[in-house]
Amino acid sequence: MYIIKNLLGLITLTMLSMSLQAQPISTTMTKADKEQVINAFYDAWDSGNREKYEQVIARDLIDHDRNPMVKASDFDGMWGLVQSLQGLDMKHNIQQIHFLENNKVMVRWNASAKHVGDFFGMPASNKTAYYAGHDIFQLNGKGQITEIWHIEQIFQLMQQLKPQ
C-alpha cells in the first residue's frame, strides 16, 4: 500500500509539472511596446534620470561592448557612462529602427550634444557636436533591456568638443 501511495504521488507531481510546462508565459512584445522601451532608454540616457534608467534597464544587464577598465556590474557600469556624459546636453534622434526576432531591436541614431559642463576633463565650451551610433537591444518581455550591443562615434564627438 505504501508503494502505491508513493507511486500515485509521483504520478500526480509529474502530471502537475507537465501541465505547468504546457502553459508557457508569453514574453512576446508588440512593435509599439518595443518602441516605447527604446524611446524610454534614450530619454533616460539624455536626461540622466536614475529612476527612468532603473525602469528600462534590467539589473542583470549584459553589455557586450563594455569598457574592460570598468569593474562595476554592467548595470552600474552603464549608469556610470550615463553620468559621465552629463556635461553634455544630449538629444538622441532615432533614424532607423528594425524589429528583429526574439524581442531584439536594432536602432540607428544620431545625436546632438551641447557641451554645457565638464566632459572627461574638458570644461564647458558651449559648442554643439554631432555624432551617430548603432545599438542592438535584447528585451525581456517585461519592458526592460537585458542585453545591449553598441557602437558610437565617441572619437568624433571628442574631436568636435576639444579646445582649439
Side-chain angles (χ1 to χ4, degrees):
M1 189 67 166
Y2 176 76
I3 293 174
I4 293 174
K5 282 184 181 179
N6 284 338
L7 186 57
L8 286 174
L10 181 59
I11 291 170
T12 302
L13 284 174
T14 303
M15 291 176 65
L16 178 60
S17 173
M18 289 172 61
S19 71
L20 290 174
Q21 291 175 5
Q23 300 172 8
I25 297 171
S26 175
T27 58
T28 303
M29 299 175 69
T30 66
K31 286 182 179 182
D33 292 338
K34 294 173 189 177
E35 192 164 3
Q36 185 175 1
V37 172
I38 299 309
N39 287 326
F41 170 79
Y42 291 113
D43 182 48
W45 192 270
D46 291 345
S47 68
N49 183 306
R50 176 75 183 207
E51 185 177 324
K52 290 179 182 180
Y53 178 84
E54 289 180 356
Q55 289 173 357
V56 75
I57 302 291
R59 284 272 176 192
D60 59 351
L61 173 73
I62 299 170
D63 179 355
H64 292 277
D65 297 302
R66 71 178 291 176
N67 179 342
M69 302 299 287
V70 175
K71 301 301 181 205
S73 69
D74 288 353
F75 178 89
D76 292 328
M78 182 73 71
W79 176 249
L81 180 57
V82 170
Q83 289 298 280
S84 71
L85 298 174
Q86 291 310 296
L88 304 174
D89 182 8
M90 294 191 8
K91 175 65 178 139
H92 281 83
N93 299 298
I94 294 174
Q95 301 299 302
Q96 295 178 350
I97 186 165
H98 299 279
F99 301 100
L100 310 173
E101 293 180 358
N102 301 319
N103 286 338
K104 280 189 179 156
V105 181
M106 187 186 95
V107 177
R108 163 84 174 139
W109 53 265
N110 64 27
S112 62
K114 185 171 183 182
H115 190 190
V116 296
D118 183 68
F119 176 64
F120 291 109
M122 291 188 286
S125 67
N126 287 319
K127 293 180 184 177
T128 299
Y130 302 92
Y131 70 115
H134 291 84
D135 296 321
I136 300 173
F137 301 99
Q138 176 68 60
L139 309 179
N140 64 5
K142 300 177 191 174
Q144 290 187 310
I145 296 166
T146 57
E147 295 182 62
I148 185 171
W149 296 258
H150 56 94
I151 188 164
E152 48 280 312
Q153 299 172 326
I154 296 296
F155 181 73
Q156 182 178 346
L157 174 65
M158 300 286 282
Q159 287 295 106
Q160 293 175 63
L161 296 178
K162 73 177 182 178
Q164 299 299 332

